[in-house]
Amino acid sequence: MSTISRTAVVDAPVAAVWPVVSDARRLPDWFSFADRVDVVSGSGLGEARLQHARFEGRRQEVDQEVVEFTPERVIAWAHRAERLDGDPAPVRATGVVFRVELTAEGGATRVRLAQTLTPAGVGRAVALHLFGAAAIGRTIAESLVRLSRSLA
């Protein structure tokens, strides 16, 4: 298992940050991994989502489920299935969870974004370490910048 995370302080209170990070429809405003996110069913814990994006030049769809939800503190979602151009994607990880943690710091908010992956085998673990982790880290860092801008 490997966790890649980045943290930043945004100049907005938790009460202003939470609605942005917890609303699936607002993810494309700040979450660099998403072009569009549709809520399939539910809300809060157990919410089912469909994330649309581009990955390596291909159309990507990711079925997600919210697996942790503590208002104004934490939201996390797990990948349940992934498709590229409509076909099942190659299995690179047997588990992927993305977690958003918020902590009040005066009138600002410390935001930690973390992606935890369980690589599908030793070869995938080596590839993640050598190539994927840095790219994921850059995308997470970009998401933090975009989140800060969306709150300005």
Side-chain angles (χ1 to χ4, degrees):
M1 188 175 336
S2 179
T3 299
I4 301 136
S5 68
R6 299 292 183 273
T7 303
V9 175
V10 297
D11 190 22
V14 169
V17 179
W18 179 253
V20 176
V21 300
S22 63
D23 183 346
R25 291 168 293 270
R26 296 194 64 186
L27 258 65
D29 295 344
W30 66 273
F31 190 57
S32 298
F33 293 99
D35 294 334
R36 185 178 98 229
V37 179
D38 302 319
V39 174
V40 177
S41 65
S43 65
L45 187 63
E47 178 179 86
R49 303 169 165 187
L50 177 59
Q51 177 179 296
H52 303 267
R54 303 290 299 171
F55 181 75
E56 296 178 348
R58 299 173 71 188
R59 184 176 43 87
Q60 178 191 46
E61 297 174 331
V62 180
D63 297 328
Q64 302 172 336
E65 178 186 355
V66 174
V67 295
E68 189 175 358
F69 188 87
T70 305
E72 297 195 355
R73 299 250 343 200
V74 176
I75 184 168
W77 55 87
H79 291 197
R80 297 301 186 209
E82 186 175 333
R83 291 167 299 286
L84 291 173
D85 292 332
D87 296 321
V91 177
R92 296 179 178 165
T94 58
V96 178
V97 175
F98 197 90
R99 194 165 197 266
V100 180
E101 302 170 10
L102 306 180
T103 307
E105 282 200 5
T109 304
R110 178 172 297 280
V111 181
R112 179 177 183 264
L113 304 180
Q115 186 167 17
T116 301
L117 302 102
T118 304
V122 175
R124 296 289 188 191
V126 171
L128 173 64
H129 177 73
L130 293 175
F131 309 108
I136 291 168
R138 283 190 301 274
T139 305
I140 292 172
E142 177 185 310
S143 294
L144 287 166
V145 169
R146 289 178 57 183
L147 177 60
S148 186
R149 287 182 186 149
S150 74
L151 294 162

